[in-house]
Amino acid sequence: MPGLVVAGAQWGDEGKGRFVDYLASSADMVIRFQGGNNAGHTVVSDNKEYKLHLIPSGILYENKPCLIGNGVVIDPKSLFEEIDSLNERGIKTDNLFVSLRAHLVMPYHILLDGLSEKNLGKSGIGTTQKGIGPCYTDKIARKGIRICDLINEKEFASLLKKNIDEKNQQIVSVYKEKPLDFDEIYEEYSKYASRLKKMAVDTSLMAYKYLEGNKKLLFEGAQGMLLDIDFGTYPYVTSSHPTTGGVYSGIGLGPKAISEVVGVVKSYTTRVGKGPFTTELFGGIGDVIREKGHEYGTTTGRPRRCGWLDLVIINYSKRVNGLTSIALSRMDTLGGIGDVKVCTAYDIDGTITKDYPATVVEIEKAKPIYETFAGWDENLSNIREYKDLPKEARRYIEFIEEYTGIPVDMIGVGPGREECIVRKAYFK
Ligand code: GDP
Ligand code: IMO
Ligand code: MG
């Protein structure tokens, strides 16, 4: 039963969307299993750029079902804006299905996300303010509203009432803001209900039937390893499991559904939002990489913090995700900047370690130990064969393979669908 996971191996924005788009050509179904519209996955096909937030990056292929699993939190306003904008551009979305069990992002989640961040000031998380954390909080607190609840009018009215009463207490007494109006939200979400009804199914069952038919399933992770609620740089994380473990509970399938895990690694490191970042470069080369690579957030437009590749993180990601393959993006961006560095260990209070620490306090103390490599100046964007890469770029890639013990099977040399070196046949 061939199932392939694409997981971000760093802090998100590694290029998952573009590799999912490539792999989707040989998959039968593409599935999102966690996160929400905090994600921003860019796909460039035929010189057209698509920024996907909730919809799986397989949507550009007709006749491949795309599922949004129960582990995803869905802001219906954002979902329908995305669907409408794709339809306007000639992309069909008839094959898009959402889980009946998926939780809904409600207006109070978005409001509370913003208020909480504002209240925390400097010590905030730097969230995307899409209501993701508050929505997952309600899910775990057993107060959430699911799609199956929304499409049952009575159930929805009663759940919404309970939630609005509770949230308004918080909004008014803690944050001193205006209370939310039940009728307004009820009316808005009732409109979404009629649209959602047509696309809401038991996605676990649908995926399982495909597996039983020996079809190829592609699981598209959002965010990345170090934003995982358990394994990331807590509390500077998102509220879901972007790691492989999230697939099982986020769509509802057993471990045999997965036969391969592709870790998407950017050839340097970026992070949006707050939290420790050991190899961060302040000014200088960091700014050069940001401008050369247009490293600004797909969802919020915030400048991405940039730094050198950190292989301690990639080995951590290998362990937690069970990586079997690496897709390395942006080798073109890393060229033309002189020597390049790779972090191979941390020095924490005089102790050398290759293991990623559990606490932010330790991570903040970590000093990166670097290996330096000669850079390359050639334009890589037309290269399609590994052997044609400059020898310095090959050395860089081989070092990643030696250190991690994982083959680098795909190499991005530009954002376009074709701008990629592929060294193995997936889904075999
Ligand atoms: P995702 O969230 O992991 O899907 O990544 P994003 O779409 O947020 O950010 C990745 C950015 O890098 C997008 O603008 C992509 O078009 C771009 N990109 C991906 N791979 C490559 C590559 O190999 N070279 C270049 N130049 N850009 C790339
Ligand atoms: P993709 O799928 C990069 C970050 C936010 C913030 C933290 C928590 O495009 O890789 P949240 O809104 O989730 O509560 O914010 O997580 N973050 C991302 N960073 N790429 C993403 O998604 C992200 N989704 C959330 O910037 O630091
Ligand atoms: Mg992104």
Side-chain angles (χ1 to χ4, degrees), residues 12-19 40-42 44 49 266 295 298 304 328-333 412-415 419:
D13 301 330
E14 298 90 348
K16 297 174 292 293
R18 68 86 46 99
F19 289 115
H41 295 181
T42 316
V44 179
E49 188 177 68
K266 200 177 268 191
E295 288 289 4
T298 310
R304 293 175 179 150
L328 186 68
S329 66
R330 287 192 172 269
M331 279 298 280
D332 54 317
T333 309
V413 291
E419 289 172 320

Side-chain angles (χ1 to χ4, degrees), residues 11-13 16 38-41 126-128 222-223 227 237-238 272 302:
W11 275 289
D13 301 330
K16 297 174 292 293
N38 49 350
H41 295 181
T127 74
T128 58
Q223 289 80 51
L227 292 172
V237 292
T238 191
V272 217
R302 290 176 291 175

Side-chain angles (χ1 to χ4, degrees), residues 275-297:
F277 178 175
T278 309
T279 60
E280 184 166 13
L281 293 163
F282 300 93
I285 298 275
D287 290 348
V288 170
I289 294 175
R290 183 179 312 104
E291 295 317 312
K292 187 161 186 260
H294 311 290
E295 288 289 4
Y296 291 86

Side-chain angles (χ1 to χ4, degrees), residues 151-205:
I151 60 187
N152 174 334
E153 268 174 51
K154 258 195 174 163
E155 181 71 13
F156 177 55
S158 127
L159 275 173
L160 183 64
K161 177 90 183 59
K162 269 192 220 156
N163 270 287
I164 293 213
D165 286 349
E166 190 192 294
K167 267 45 176 204
N168 273 346
Q169 281 183 28
Q170 206 181 345
I171 291 165
V172 175
S173 27
V174 179
Y175 294 115
K176 317 283 179 224
E177 293 284 334
K178 272 201 331 229
L180 290 172
D181 180 54
F182 172 90
D183 292 333
E184 219 174 275
I185 300 176
Y186 183 78
E187 203 178 304
E188 181 188 351
Y189 273 66
S190 298
K191 283 189 200 134
Y192 300 142
S194 54
R195 258 185 109 174
L196 278 168
K197 242 181 220 167
K198 297 175 199 137
M199 52 198 294
V201 298
D202 185 334
T203 46
S204 162
L205 185 61

Side-chain angles (χ1 to χ4, degrees), residues 112-122 124 129 175 177:
L112 288 169
D113 196 356
L115 290 173
S116 161
E117 284 289 280
K118 199 171 144 203
N119 206 36
L120 287 167
K122 274 191 182 157
Q129 305 208 8
Y175 294 115
E177 293 284 334

Side-chain angles (χ1 to χ4, degrees), residues 308-375:
W308 296 120
L309 178 64
D310 184 343
L311 289 179
V312 176
I313 292 175
I314 308 307
N315 263 5
Y316 181 42
S317 190
K318 168 188 172 181
R319 163 157 57 95
V320 175
N321 281 300
L323 300 184
T324 57
S325 177
I326 286 177
L328 186 68
S329 66
R330 287 192 172 269
M331 279 298 280
D332 54 317
T333 309
L334 195 61
I337 61 166
D339 285 355
V340 289
K341 291 186 183 182
V342 174
C343 172
T344 55
Y346 299 154
D347 177 339
I348 303 178
D349 289 336
T351 303
I352 308 300
T353 181
K354 291 186 171 186
D355 297 323
Y356 204 74
T359 67
V360 162
V361 175
E362 287 166 285
I363 303 164
E364 271 168 354
K365 281 194 213 160
K367 292 192 191 75
I369 297 173
Y370 287 118
E371 190 115 351
T372 303
F373 294 87

